[in-house]
Amino acid sequence: MIKTSLFADQEREAKLNKLGDALQVLEQHVDFKALAAEVDRAAPRPCRERGGRPPFPTELMVRVLLIQQLFNLSDEQMEFQLLDRLSYQRFVGLRSSSQIPDRTTIWTFKERLIAAGASESIFDAVNRQLAKHGFIARGGQMIDASFVQVPKQSMDKEEKAIVAQDAMPADWKPAKRRQKDIDARWTKKHGKSYFGYKLSANADKRYKLIRKIKISTASEHDTLHFEEVLDPANTSRDVYADKGYVDGGREAHLRGQGWRMHIQRKGHKGKPLSEAQERRNRRIASPRARVEHVFAGLAQMGGKVMRSIGLARATLHLNWKVAAYNLQRLSYLKEARIEAF
């Protein structure tokens, strides 16, 4: 016999709490009202002079987009999960609602942020919350970059030549234009080809929280954005990076500004590394490797691939992805009682 109960919903929620709901842990440590206020400041809500159904509250949509990034869901999957999943409904505040944001509503909200130039607003707002909790950047900084792949584009030789000039073939119909990513680029690393974008990131050594990012096409070299992601707010002047960032002139310039550069060296054909350089590389390897944990965390959240098209949407997507990572990391630090000092 299957037991029925008038209080089945409450009993299930109680059991969910007992088993451990990661979203409820996030709820305890994050001020979502403050995040929503920052988003509204950067991208004001549309006026309703023409009437129509009022939009969902910004705080609710912020929660929806963060779930989407934490669990790597498409707009369509997000709509289904909001209808189906108790923990998601509870987290966004729709447990007793007959309406949920559908795929079009989610897409429209993201387009509003892009149109307002507010793609970075959530990342900046989350980092301000980290500071309020006392988790300022400490211990030095680790810089690295990772490819973020998008679906490969099928184009003939002539179309590729036009796209390479940052243009779009005139004979493409509107439907085709919407499906073609003319911003993404091909590149090759260690003999493997990648198509898409690149995320350059700076994480602090103490807490492994991401402090600065730069999104670019995959073909742009890592070193182009090295100084752009340096964080002068870090309490230490130590900078760790792998051998892909070797640039003697830039290192000398930054040392002159007071930075302590810890960049691994690489050998060249006919000129292998000396024993002293090998020892130096090994000393740097351990602290520098902590940044790999950061990128592994992003990869677990689907941070190695994207479904969006174009650099503007990639910028929005990756800012929200990194913000979601930082909030998840903040929850871990608070729950593990790691001191902010």
Side-chain angles (χ1 to χ4, degrees):
M1 256 329 255
I2 296 177
K3 181 183 176 182
T4 59
S5 171
L6 293 173
F7 307 102
D9 287 348
Q10 295 93 317
E11 291 167 1
R12 287 181 181 180
E13 287 196 31
K15 189 165 186 179
L16 186 62
N17 289 335
K18 187 176 180 180
L19 291 172
D21 180 359
L23 293 176
Q24 288 303 104
V25 175
L26 204 63
E27 183 84 57
Q28 295 172 26
H29 304 298
V30 179
D31 184 351
F32 288 100
K33 283 186 172 58
L35 296 183
E38 289 291 335
V39 170
D40 277 338
R41 184 189 60 77
R45 288 166 65 83
C47 65
R48 294 185 56 219
E49 291 179 356
R50 298 182 181 180
R53 191 176 72 184
F56 286 96
T58 300
E59 182 184 343
L60 184 150
M61 295 305 299
V62 166
R63 289 169 181 262
V64 168
L65 263 63
L66 287 172
I67 290 177
Q68 193 175 27
Q69 294 299 339
L70 285 168
F71 300 101
N72 193 32
L73 301 171
S74 67
D75 293 348
E76 292 79 7
Q77 290 170 330
M78 191 69 242
E79 178 184 358
F80 178 83
Q81 294 293 346
L82 283 173
L83 285 166
D84 182 67
R85 197 155 179 167
L86 165 61
S87 60
Y88 290 7
Q89 294 166 7
R90 184 169 67 168
F91 179 70
V92 302
L94 292 172
R95 193 73 186 96
S96 303
S97 174
S98 61
Q99 293 181 326
I100 60 104
D102 60 18
R103 63 196 72 183
T104 303
T105 301
I106 296 168
W107 182 86
T108 301
F109 181 77
K110 289 189 280 193
E111 290 297 301
R112 166 189 148 195
L113 299 180
I114 293 171
S119 295
E120 297 86 1
S121 60
I122 189 67
F123 176 62
D124 295 336
V126 165
N127 277 356
R128 279 191 284 274
Q129 285 212 20
L130 299 179
K132 286 182 179 178
H133 282 279
F135 292 104
I136 63 173
R138 295 181 182 277
Q141 50 200 289
M142 308 166 295
I143 294 175
D144 207 351
S146 178
F147 294 118
V148 182
Q149 299 187 77
V150 298
K152 298 177 179 65
Q153 306 291 299
S154 298
M155 291 182 278
D156 60 33
K157 189 174 181 180
E158 184 178 335
E159 289 173 331
K160 287 180 181 178
I162 295 172
V163 168
Q165 300 300 316
D166 294 324
M168 186 178 290
D171 60 345
W172 281 4
K173 295 180 180 179
K176 186 172 183 178
R177 289 169 182 246
R178 289 193 295 269
Q179 297 301 317
K180 292 296 184 181
D181 192 335
I182 64 170
D183 294 331
R185 291 290 183 268
W186 283 98
T187 192
K188 186 173 283 190
K189 186 174 183 179
H190 303 313
K192 185 177 179 180
S193 296
Y194 299 88
F195 180 73
Y197 299 91
K198 181 177 287 183
L199 172 66
S200 298
N202 174 322
D204 73 290
K205 183 170 171 284
R206 175 71 177 90
Y207 301 117
K208 293 193 287 192
L209 289 162
I210 300 173
R211 306 298 180 165
K212 284 183 172 288
I213 59 173
K214 171 68 179 179
I215 295 98
S216 63
T217 61
S219 60
E220 293 185 33
H221 199 278
D222 300 0
T223 58
L224 292 177
H225 309 298
F226 185 87
E227 291 183 70
E228 197 167 346
V229 295
L230 274 176
D231 181 16
N234 197 295
T235 60
S236 170
R237 303 294 281 178
D238 292 308
V239 181
Y240 298 87
D242 66 20
K243 57 190 71 175
Y245 290 94
V246 172
D247 184 323
R250 183 182 59 215
E251 288 182 52
H253 170 69
L254 291 174
R255 279 196 294 269
Q257 295 181 349
W259 296 98
R260 292 189 291 271
M261 309 304 295
H262 306 280
I263 298 178
Q264 293 177 307
R265 297 293 180 246
K266 58 183 177 181
H268 299 280
K269 188 175 181 179
K271 191 177 180 182
L273 293 177
S274 67
E275 189 175 327
Q277 288 174 319
E278 291 281 8
R279 286 198 303 271
R280 181 178 181 275
N281 278 0
R282 286 194 292 271
R283 285 197 304 272
I284 295 172
S286 180
R288 194 210 67 80
R290 287 174 65 79
V291 76
E292 302 296 346
H293 306 163
V294 174
F295 281 103
L298 290 171
Q300 287 179 338
M301 294 161 52
K304 290 284 188 178
V305 293
M306 283 191 307
R307 304 176 183 89
S308 59
I309 293 174
L311 181 59
R313 292 194 180 100
T315 299
L316 176 80
H317 175 96
L318 290 171
N319 270 276
W320 280 80
K321 180 70 71 179
V322 171
Y325 164 85
N326 273 354
L327 290 179
Q328 189 178 60
R329 180 71 182 162
L330 170 65
S331 293
Y332 166 77
L333 293 170
K334 298 289 283 187
E335 290 295 303
R337 300 182 185 279
I338 293 176
E339 295 293 333
F341 61 86

